[in-house]
Amino acid sequence: MKRTEYESMQKLAREYFRKANIVVREDEPIEVADFGLGKVKEIGLQLCVYINTERVCAKEMVLLPYQTCPEQSTGSAAVRTVR
């Protein structure tokens, strides 16, 4: 995925968080997952991880209109963080 597409998806996710009245600070990263398929607008998701420890995990996820998230099979999904 190109950086411009990644940043565009982050921006869209922030807009949807705002519409849902979910506060995500500008310094909190939005991760974009395309699951290695290269079709993030059709298959993927955007998420913000607030906390992730061995005992607790808090995340907000965004699926855009017409975007689906594949079922997770064996192995791990490719979530990319670009900074």
Side-chain angles (χ1 to χ4, degrees):
M1 167 178 359
K2 294 182 180 178
R3 179 176 289 277
T4 54
E5 185 176 29
Y6 190 93
E7 291 170 351
S8 172
M9 298 307 284
Q10 286 178 316
K11 183 178 177 181
L12 279 171
R14 287 189 187 281
E15 289 175 18
Y16 277 92
F17 282 135
R18 272 192 285 280
K19 288 178 183 180
N21 293 317
I22 297 171
V23 177
V24 177
R25 295 187 327 255
E26 289 299 320
D27 65 332
E28 290 179 302
I30 303 291
E31 297 176 20
V32 178
D34 71 352
F35 303 97
L37 300 173
K39 299 186 217 177
V40 71
K41 292 180 181 174
E42 294 87 25
I43 303 170
L45 64 87
Q46 296 64 234
L47 64 127
C48 178
V49 179
Y50 298 113
I51 186 168
N52 190 8
T53 69
E54 290 181 21
R55 294 185 56 134
V56 67
C57 182
K59 301 177 182 182
E60 296 289 351
M61 298 183 202
V62 173
L63 277 176
L64 301 174
Y66 308 106
Q67 188 180 43
T68 61
C69 180
E71 290 184 35
Q72 185 173 357
S73 59
T74 57
S76 62
V79 176
R80 302 177 188 174
T81 302
V82 177
R83 295 185 183 179

